[in-house]
């Protein structure tokens, strides 16, 4: 099941900036998707731990990690901010090109994006956002499945995501686009509640 639309209108970043701050939306090709209610503690623990490990690993390096909510504007070619029709808020992201950072957030594709899946966002993240990240040029995209204890990894090659690499949340997983950086899973997985069947 996908996330609900705000309305049937086509919107831009200029519209997005005028909306109340107490309700969060993502814009994808002009369609405003109402973001899910506050994430579960499990979701926040996973996203926070990944961010924490990236922050430590990237200390003193040019790449910078961020955790949601951060607006990531994904313009088409030289589109001005006011006309951008795709604005997303990845759970965790890393940007290595400082020129993409400004006071509003990020303009352009992050190098690395992580989305932590929940039942309400799984299809949105797997299908719609994967296409958006591929088109924008996100070099590596992880979908972390806390319940299934899996991570699905897409890597950009010649402008496309090929077949995903699916791994268990066990041991460490290297971030291919960040030399010498990996995410360790075992302590995190031990903290997660057991899956419900």
């Amino acid at each position: 099941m996908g996330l609900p639309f705000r309305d049937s209108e086509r919107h831009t970043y200029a519209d997005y900036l005028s909306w109340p701050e107490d309700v969060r939306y993502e814009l994808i090709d002009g369609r405003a998707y109402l973001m899910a209610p506050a994430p579960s503690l499990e979701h926040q623990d996973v996203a926070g731990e990944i961010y924490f490990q990236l922050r430590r690993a990237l200390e003193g390096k040019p790449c910078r990690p961020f955790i949601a909510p951060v607006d990531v504007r994904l313009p088409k070619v030289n589109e001005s901010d006011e006309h951008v029709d795709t604005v997303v808020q990845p759970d965790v992201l890393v940007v290595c090109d400082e020129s993409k950072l400004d006071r509003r957030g990020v303009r352009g594709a992050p190098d690395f994006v992580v989305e932590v899946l929940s039942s309400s966002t799984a299809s949105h993240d797997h299908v719609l956002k994967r296409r958006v990240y591929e088109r924008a040029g996100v070099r590596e995209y992880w979908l972390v499945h806390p319940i299934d204890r899996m991570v699905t990894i897409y890597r950009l090659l010649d402008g496309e995501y090929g077949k995903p690499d699916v791994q268990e949340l066990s041991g460490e997983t290297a971030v291919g686009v960040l030399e010498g950086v990996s995410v360790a899973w075992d302590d995190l997985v031990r903290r997660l509640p057991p899956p419900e069947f």
Side-chain angles (χ1 to χ4, degrees):
M1 183 172 128
L3 296 176
F5 295 119
R6 179 182 195 270
D7 53 35
S8 61
E9 303 295 315
R10 186 180 182 284
H11 298 282
T12 65
Y13 186 57
D15 301 320
Y16 176 93
L17 289 175
S18 71
W19 296 336
E21 292 183 17
D22 60 339
V23 181
R24 290 176 47 214
Y25 295 95
E26 286 186 318
L27 275 182
I28 296 180
D29 296 325
R31 299 295 307 266
Y33 293 84
L34 180 62
M35 296 189 66
S40 67
L41 286 179
E42 177 181 65
H43 177 286
Q44 292 302 84
D45 195 13
V46 172
E49 180 64 28
I50 293 169
Y51 168 79
F52 176 73
Q53 291 187 37
L54 293 172
R55 181 80 179 93
R56 276 194 330 210
L58 294 170
E59 189 70 41
K61 297 179 180 177
C63 298
R64 291 181 57 191
F66 299 93
I67 191 165
V70 173
D71 284 344
V72 176
R73 302 171 324 266
L74 298 172
K76 296 171 180 77
V77 194
N78 293 323
E79 196 171 45
S80 70
D81 269 357
E82 290 67 33
H83 295 99
V84 169
D85 68 1
T86 300
V87 183
V88 292
Q89 293 185 356
D91 290 323
V92 181
L93 61 140
V94 174
V95 177
C96 296
D97 179 353
E98 194 172 308
S99 71
K100 292 182 178 180
L101 305 176
D102 62 26
R103 295 185 74 189
R104 290 179 166 175
V106 179
R107 179 181 163 89
D111 295 271
F112 177 54
V113 165
V114 178
E115 296 286 6
V116 180
L117 301 183
S118 66
S119 58
S120 62
T121 65
S123 68
H124 185 77
D125 293 339
H126 260 293
V127 179
L128 202 58
K129 288 178 86 171
R130 180 182 52 80
R131 286 189 206 132
V132 166
Y133 293 144
E134 180 180 52
R135 179 181 72 202
V138 172
R139 295 166 48 213
E140 190 162 338
Y141 176 37
W142 288 14
L143 295 132
V144 178
H145 312 247
I147 294 172
D148 297 333
R149 310 300 203 253
M150 306 290 284
V151 58
T152 302
I153 301 169
Y154 289 95
R155 294 184 179 94
L156 201 64
L157 184 61
D158 298 324
E160 293 183 357
Y161 290 144
K163 184 178 175 185
D165 178 14
V166 179
Q167 300 180 18
E168 275 188 74
L169 299 186
S170 178
E172 292 188 4
T173 302
V175 181
V177 297
L178 301 172
E179 188 177 341
V181 176
S182 61
V183 174
W185 302 111
D186 295 340
D187 287 343
L188 171 62
V189 169
R190 276 193 288 275
R191 290 198 309 262
L192 295 176
E196 295 175 4
F197 294 102

